[in-house]
Amino acid sequence: MSVRDDHELETGDEYALSTAADRTRFTLHNKADGMIAELHGDDAARFLKDYDELKLQYPDWNADRLLAQLWDQGGYGWLAQQEE
């Protein structure tokens, strides 16, 4: 499966999140910094758990606030690389 087969889950002015149809791979994009975190395997499983918990805990958060929390506090920004 290629990145083109991914489905957008969340999008905001600063961040975007897409996933494979089976949710085994996620792409977290920090638009402002031009950075992308490709999450798969154990990282994807941990991300899905964190994402689902935040969505339940803060249902009113917009995409940028939710994804910024995951990027910064969740530590997923550390896995990011410069966008090509």
Side-chain angles (χ1 to χ4, degrees), residues 3-45:
V3 173
R4 282 177 268 188
D5 296 326
D6 284 358
H7 303 282
E8 192 169 83
L9 286 180
E10 304 272 351
T11 190
D13 293 333
E14 298 176 28
Y15 292 89
L17 175 66
S18 59
T19 184
D22 61 3
R23 290 190 166 201
T24 59
R25 186 183 71 248
F26 294 88
T27 302
L28 181 56
H29 183 195
N30 181 327
K31 297 175 185 180
D33 293 341
M35 302 289 286
I36 294 179
E38 294 283 346
L39 309 167
H40 48 83
D42 290 342
D43 290 331

Side-chain angles (χ1 to χ4, degrees), residues 23-83:
R23 290 190 166 201
T24 59
R25 186 183 71 248
F26 294 88
T27 302
L28 181 56
H29 183 195
N30 181 327
K31 297 175 185 180
D33 293 341
M35 302 289 286
I36 294 179
E38 294 283 346
L39 309 167
H40 48 83
D42 290 342
D43 290 331
R46 182 172 63 93
F47 180 84
L48 180 57
K49 180 179 178 284
D50 293 346
Y51 173 78
D52 286 343
E53 285 176 2
L54 275 180
K55 289 286 284 186
L56 284 172
Q57 191 171 5
Y58 303 103
D60 295 332
W61 278 12
N62 66 24
D64 282 331
R65 187 169 182 187
L66 177 73
L67 297 177
Q69 178 74 17
L70 290 163
W71 185 272
D72 293 329
Q73 302 302 317
Y76 296 100
W78 287 100
L79 302 173
Q81 296 182 0
Q82 192 67 38
E83 188 175 13

